PDB file of all heavy atoms in Angstrom:
ATOM      1  N   ARG A  61      83.931 205.174  15.042  1.00  0.00           N
ATOM      2  CA  ARG A  61      85.402 205.293  15.094  1.00  0.00           C
ATOM      3  C   ARG A  61      85.980 204.201  16.003  1.00  0.00           C
ATOM      4  O   ARG A  61      85.701 204.283  17.215  1.00  0.00           O
ATOM      5  CB  ARG A  61      85.781 206.690  15.491  1.00  0.00           C
ATOM      6  CG  ARG A  61      85.223 207.678  14.553  1.00  0.00           C
ATOM      7  CD  ARG A  61      85.718 209.210  14.985  1.00  0.00           C
ATOM      8  NE  ARG A  61      85.178 210.186  14.067  1.00  0.00           N
ATOM      9  CZ  ARG A  61      85.728 210.607  12.910  1.00  0.00           C
ATOM     10  NH1 ARG A  61      86.781 210.017  12.555  1.00  0.00           N
ATOM     11  NH2 ARG A  61      85.043 211.497  12.153  1.00  0.00           N
ATOM     12  N   HIS A  62      86.784 203.350  15.390  1.00  0.00           N
ATOM     13  CA  HIS A  62      87.300 202.216  16.154  1.00  0.00           C
ATOM     14  C   HIS A  62      88.753 202.379  16.385  1.00  0.00           C
ATOM     15  O   HIS A  62      89.446 202.553  15.324  1.00  0.00           O
ATOM     16  CB  HIS A  62      86.933 200.936  15.391  1.00  0.00           C
ATOM     17  CG  HIS A  62      87.252 199.601  16.158  1.00  0.00           C
ATOM     18  ND1 HIS A  62      86.459 199.040  17.098  1.00  0.00           N
ATOM     19  CD2 HIS A  62      88.438 198.890  16.119  1.00  0.00           C
ATOM     20  CE1 HIS A  62      86.904 197.953  17.607  1.00  0.00           C
ATOM     21  NE2 HIS A  62      88.188 197.851  16.980  1.00  0.00           N
ATOM     22  N   SER A  63      89.207 202.267  17.615  1.00  0.00           N
ATOM     23  CA  SER A  63      90.586 202.678  17.870  1.00  0.00           C
ATOM     24  C   SER A  63      91.414 201.493  18.639  1.00  0.00           C
ATOM     25  O   SER A  63      92.636 201.688  18.907  1.00  0.00           O
ATOM     26  CB  SER A  63      90.768 203.866  18.896  1.00  0.00           C
ATOM     27  OG  SER A  63      90.065 203.623  20.015  1.00  0.00           O
ATOM     28  N   ASP A  64      90.756 200.379  18.752  1.00  0.00           N
ATOM     29  CA  ASP A  64      91.468 199.228  19.511  1.00  0.00           C
ATOM     30  C   ASP A  64      92.303 198.485  18.457  1.00  0.00           C
ATOM     31  O   ASP A  64      91.995 197.336  18.028  1.00  0.00           O
ATOM     32  CB  ASP A  64      90.431 198.405  20.084  1.00  0.00           C
ATOM     33  CG  ASP A  64      90.999 197.435  21.128  1.00  0.00           C
ATOM     34  OD1 ASP A  64      92.200 197.489  21.410  1.00  0.00           O
ATOM     35  OD2 ASP A  64      90.310 196.490  21.674  1.00  0.00           O
ATOM     36  N   VAL A  65      93.452 199.083  18.197  1.00  0.00           N
ATOM     37  CA  VAL A  65      94.405 198.490  17.280  1.00  0.00           C
ATOM     38  C   VAL A  65      95.660 197.955  17.891  1.00  0.00           C
ATOM     39  O   VAL A  65      96.187 198.636  18.826  1.00  0.00           O
ATOM     40  CB  VAL A  65      94.866 199.571  16.114  1.00  0.00           C
ATOM     41  CG1 VAL A  65      95.810 198.992  15.190  1.00  0.00           C
ATOM     42  CG2 VAL A  65      93.575 200.035  15.543  1.00  0.00           C
ATOM     43  N   ARG A  66      96.159 196.771  17.560  1.00  0.00           N
ATOM     44  CA  ARG A  66      97.268 196.225  18.166  1.00  0.00           C
ATOM     45  C   ARG A  66      98.186 195.512  17.077  1.00  0.00           C
ATOM     46  O   ARG A  66      97.590 195.081  16.020  1.00  0.00           O
ATOM     47  CB  ARG A  66      96.945 195.149  19.171  1.00  0.00           C
ATOM     48  CG  ARG A  66      96.216 195.599  20.374  1.00  0.00           C
ATOM     49  CD  ARG A  66      97.128 196.441  21.360  1.00  0.00           C
ATOM     50  NE  ARG A  66      96.435 196.851  22.468  1.00  0.00           N
ATOM     51  CZ  ARG A  66      95.552 197.908  22.668  1.00  0.00           C
ATOM     52  NH1 ARG A  66      95.327 198.618  21.548  1.00  0.00           N
ATOM     53  NH2 ARG A  66      95.025 198.197  23.800  1.00  0.00           N
ATOM     54  N   PRO A  67      99.571 195.534  17.238  1.00  0.00           N
ATOM     55  CA  PRO A  67     100.389 194.985  16.284  1.00  0.00           C
ATOM     56  C   PRO A  67     100.066 193.520  16.102  1.00  0.00           C
ATOM     57  O   PRO A  67      99.621 192.821  17.078  1.00  0.00           O
ATOM     58  CB  PRO A  67     101.776 195.244  16.805  1.00  0.00           C
ATOM     59  CG  PRO A  67     101.684 196.388  17.726  1.00  0.00           C
ATOM     60  CD  PRO A  67     100.241 196.332  18.362  1.00  0.00           C
ATOM     61  N   HIS A  68     100.263 193.064  14.849  1.00  0.00           N
ATOM     62  CA  HIS A  68     100.132 191.536  14.517  1.00  0.00           C
ATOM     63  C   HIS A  68      98.680 191.096  14.569  1.00  0.00           C
ATOM     64  O   HIS A  68      98.344 189.913  14.419  1.00  0.00           O
ATOM     65  CB  HIS A  68     101.105 190.791  15.352  1.00  0.00           C
ATOM     66  CG  HIS A  68     102.449 191.163  15.251  1.00  0.00           C
ATOM     67  ND1 HIS A  68     103.235 191.163  14.214  1.00  0.00           N
ATOM     68  CD2 HIS A  68     103.287 191.577  16.278  1.00  0.00           C
ATOM     69  CE1 HIS A  68     104.529 191.617  14.417  1.00  0.00           C
ATOM     70  NE2 HIS A  68     104.479 191.956  15.728  1.00  0.00           N
ATOM     71  N   VAL A  69      97.666 192.012  14.800  1.00  0.00           N
ATOM     72  CA  VAL A  69      96.315 191.660  14.767  1.00  0.00           C
ATOM     73  C   VAL A  69      95.914 190.450  15.619  1.00  0.00           C
ATOM     74  O   VAL A  69      95.668 189.399  15.047  1.00  0.00           O
ATOM     75  CB  VAL A  69      95.764 191.545  13.378  1.00  0.00           C
ATOM     76  CG1 VAL A  69      94.214 191.563  13.360  1.00  0.00           C
ATOM     77  CG2 VAL A  69      96.316 192.643  12.419  1.00  0.00           C
ATOM     78  N   PRO A  70      95.921 190.588  16.879  1.00  0.00           N
ATOM     79  CA  PRO A  70      95.478 189.472  17.795  1.00  0.00           C
ATOM     80  C   PRO A  70      94.026 189.082  17.335  1.00  0.00           C
ATOM     81  O   PRO A  70      93.217 189.987  17.023  1.00  0.00           O
ATOM     82  CB  PRO A  70      95.539 190.008  19.192  1.00  0.00           C
ATOM     83  CG  PRO A  70      96.522 191.101  19.121  1.00  0.00           C
ATOM     84  CD  PRO A  70      96.393 191.721  17.720  1.00  0.00           C
ATOM     85  N   VAL A  71      93.734 187.797  17.398  1.00  0.00           N
ATOM     86  CA  VAL A  71      92.476 187.316  16.984  1.00  0.00           C
ATOM     87  C   VAL A  71      91.272 187.970  17.732  1.00  0.00           C
ATOM     88  O   VAL A  71      90.291 188.295  17.230  1.00  0.00           O
ATOM     89  CB  VAL A  71      92.425 185.760  17.103  1.00  0.00           C
ATOM     90  CG1 VAL A  71      90.914 185.218  17.078  1.00  0.00           C
ATOM     91  CG2 VAL A  71      93.282 185.050  16.068  1.00  0.00           C
ATOM     92  N   GLU A  72      91.549 188.108  19.030  1.00  0.00           N
ATOM     93  CA  GLU A  72      90.394 188.765  19.845  1.00  0.00           C
ATOM     94  C   GLU A  72      90.137 190.216  19.466  1.00  0.00           C
ATOM     95  O   GLU A  72      88.981 190.627  19.513  1.00  0.00           O
ATOM     96  CB  GLU A  72      90.755 188.736  21.379  1.00  0.00           C
ATOM     97  CG  GLU A  72      92.091 189.371  21.855  1.00  0.00           C
ATOM     98  CD  GLU A  72      93.297 188.550  21.715  1.00  0.00           C
ATOM     99  OE1 GLU A  72      93.311 187.602  20.975  1.00  0.00           O
ATOM    100  OE2 GLU A  72      94.236 188.950  22.362  1.00  0.00           O
TER     101      GLU A  72
END
Side-chain angles (χ1 to χ4, degrees):
R61 297 182 183 276
H62 188 85
S63 62
D64 193 6
V65 177
R66 295 292 183 275
H68 307 297
V69 194
V71 167
E72 61 272 18

